[in-house]
Amino acid sequence: MLITHRTQNPVDIVDLSGSLVMGDASTKAKKKLLEVVEKGQAKVVLNLAKVTFMDSTGLSVLISALKAARSKDGNVALLNLAPPVQSLIELTRLQQVFGIFQDEAAAIISVK
């Protein structure tokens, strides 16, 4: 799991790549996302374009970030979902909870 972070004030953009599954990768991702929320404005866009696979542990990472952001009056949007990730999000109906975007500018606006 590779995680990069950049800021487009006041929005934090986190690019994730690889598999987000049970194990060290998800633990590292969760820790990094919660750190981004705590240190930033709690307005986060998660770019998942390069996430090739995700299981229920990966979903819990996303939900943890969303809960942390909302506790600080922020929000989390998902960007560029790969087809397997999109299918999992739809299967679990999380598209009703997260804003899902294909355009980074639209995702940024949605969390401001």
Side-chain angles (χ1 to χ4, degrees), residues 6 35 58-59 80 107:
R6 54 196 163 95
E35 180 181 296
L59 291 176
N80 297 324

Side-chain angles (χ1 to χ4, degrees), residues 5-95:
H5 171 240
R6 54 196 163 95
T7 302
Q8 190 167 339
N9 286 330
V11 177
D12 290 296
I13 302 165
V14 179
D15 301 298
L16 302 169
S17 64
S19 294
L20 195 51
V21 295
M22 185 170 24
D24 289 341
S26 62
T27 302
K28 179 182 173 185
K30 183 176 181 177
K31 182 178 177 183
K32 178 64 177 177
L33 291 176
L34 294 177
E35 180 181 296
V36 166
V37 170
E38 285 303 313
K39 290 182 178 179
Q41 300 294 315
K43 298 170 188 339
V44 181
V45 172
L46 300 178
N47 184 359
L48 304 176
K50 295 183 180 178
V51 173
T52 55
F53 183 76
M54 181 183 299
D55 66 6
S56 60
T57 305
L59 291 176
S60 74
V61 170
L62 301 182
I63 292 167
S64 293
L66 180 64
K67 283 181 158 182
R70 288 189 174 169
S71 74
K72 291 181 66 180
D73 295 323
N75 205 0
V76 175
L78 306 180
L79 176 64
N80 297 324
L81 302 180
V85 175
Q86 178 80 34
S87 295
L88 182 60
I89 295 290
E90 290 173 359
L91 179 68
T92 56
R93 298 180 183 225
L94 286 174
Q95 77 276 13

